[in-house]
Amino acid sequence: MKLSSSIFTFRFLNFNSLFIKSHPSFKNSAATKRTMTQFPNFSTKISNSSPANTAEDSQVSPPEPRPQSPPRKPWLIVGLGNPGKKFNGTRHNVGFMMVDAIAEAEGISINTVNFKAQIGKGFIGNVPVMLAKPQTFMNSSGESVGAIVSYYKIPLKQVLVIFDDLDLPFAKLRLLPKGGHGGHNGMRSIIDSFEGSRNFPRLRIGIGRPQGRMDTINFVLRAFNKQEREELEFTFHNGIAAVRILLLEGFDKSATYVNSTKAMEQLG
């Protein structure tokens, strides 16, 4: 799938103020006045009225400025993982990695720490977004996410949580509108912070199951090898596209795209 080149990225803004100031009105613009005087009067109206009336008839009235569309509601996009260098690049941190990929693609700097999370604010298209990477360690992710949602009063339907999933084949994506924690402790913590509500979208990234008798905990804390990292690049590209479609076109279109078995071919 090729994304429209009309999807633009804007610099981050003060998240507490989402109103866009209107441009100067047409009739108050000096540049507009200069442009108006450069064009002849193409009116073909013939009148026998007095010169005063003729001048009035030929006067061009500036158009009314177009009304500003209301600001889009903000989204919170959360990637789950564990803080610290020793966890970088591990399977359990693939949520962090996806959020970093989104930030890079959209030009959003994750440059502040608040609500026990690394945070970046900006836009995807014309939609204000906050990217968050909780620093509470995985099992306490809800402490951070719940505080952000409560403070900014973000509707749960506009909170996207991205996390690793043992039950999905490696590098496969699955976008769901709601659901349980599926044994994932980070998701369990977030659901608890939402007072048990499961009604928020989530993007699951498959990491597969360990081979043989390898312990599950050791497996999820194991780093990706070179071949796996290369394969994940395609996954991240698909994830970035899925998030853009979700915010700009809605959940159904995004789910159709990301849940398709042909999602990788659509990038070409």
Side-chain angles (χ1 to χ4, degrees):
M1 174 178 177
K2 292 185 178 179
L3 295 177
S4 171
S5 59
S6 63
I7 299 178
F8 296 101
T9 302
F10 298 87
R11 295 182 179 177
F12 63 88
L13 81 169
N14 184 341
F15 207 67
N16 294 316
S17 177
L18 300 176
F19 294 97
I20 303 172
K21 294 183 178 179
S22 60
H23 294 291
S25 66
F26 189 94
K27 61 184 179 180
N28 289 334
S29 169
T32 302
K33 289 181 179 180
R34 287 198 298 270
T35 303
M36 289 292 295
T37 60
Q38 292 172 358
F39 291 92
N41 179 9
F42 290 104
S43 174
T44 57
K45 181 178 180 180
I46 299 175
S47 173
N48 294 324
S49 58
S50 65
N53 291 336
T54 301
E56 183 178 353
D57 290 341
S58 63
Q59 185 177 359
V60 178
S61 299
E64 292 293 328
R66 293 181 179 180
Q68 293 286 336
S69 58
R72 302 289 291 269
K73 293 181 179 180
W75 274 77
L76 172 64
I77 301 175
V78 180
L80 299 188
N82 286 308
K85 290 183 179 180
K86 72 176 183 177
F87 296 110
N88 288 348
T90 61
R91 285 164 169 74
H92 221 23
N93 273 36
V94 74
F96 277 8
M97 297 165 70
M98 183 74 249
V99 165
D100 286 338
I102 294 169
E104 182 177 359
E106 303 297 345
I108 299 174
S109 297
I110 301 178
N111 56 4
T112 61
V113 177
N114 205 352
F115 302 102
K116 300 180 181 180
Q118 292 180 354
I119 288 175
K121 301 173 186 177
F123 282 92
I124 294 178
N126 63 341
V127 179
V129 298
M130 175 183 287
L131 306 180
K133 295 162 48 177
Q135 301 295 292
T136 55
F137 287 94
M138 180 68 79
N139 294 358
S140 300
S141 298
E143 294 179 14
S144 171
V145 179
I148 296 172
V149 169
S150 176
Y151 183 83
Y152 289 108
K153 296 178 173 58
I154 303 173
L156 294 190
K157 66 180 181 179
Q158 297 197 193
V159 178
L160 175 67
V161 181
I162 306 173
F163 63 99
D164 59 295
D165 195 324
L166 285 161
D167 294 325
L168 278 179
F170 177 75
K172 185 173 181 60
L173 295 174
R174 182 68 65 194
L175 179 65
L176 297 173
K178 59 184 178 180
H181 53 72
H184 192 285
N185 288 330
M187 288 296 288
R188 190 196 309 271
S189 176
I190 290 173
I191 291 172
D192 287 345
S193 76
F194 293 162
E195 299 181 346
S197 176
R198 304 176 177 187
N199 298 324
F200 58 94
R202 67 281 313 275
L203 180 62
R204 298 157 53 196
I205 305 177
I207 60 171
R209 283 280 178 181
Q211 297 289 331
R213 298 182 178 180
M214 181 183 292
D215 179 72
T216 300
I217 295 177
N218 291 332
F219 177 73
V220 300
L221 298 180
R222 185 178 178 183
F224 296 111
N225 61 37
K226 182 180 179 181
Q227 181 178 347
E228 290 171 332
R229 290 196 300 270
E230 290 174 354
E231 190 171 349
L232 279 173
E233 287 298 317
F234 290 99
T235 301
F236 293 153
H237 281 299
N238 281 322
I240 291 166
V243 169
R244 288 175 178 169
I245 297 169
L246 173 64
L247 271 60
L248 300 174
E249 300 183 52
F251 179 88
D252 290 343
K253 287 188 177 181
S254 183
T256 299
Y257 168 77
V258 76
N259 296 338
S260 169
T261 57
K262 297 182 179 180
M264 285 193 179
E265 289 89 346
Q266 291 175 1
L267 285 173

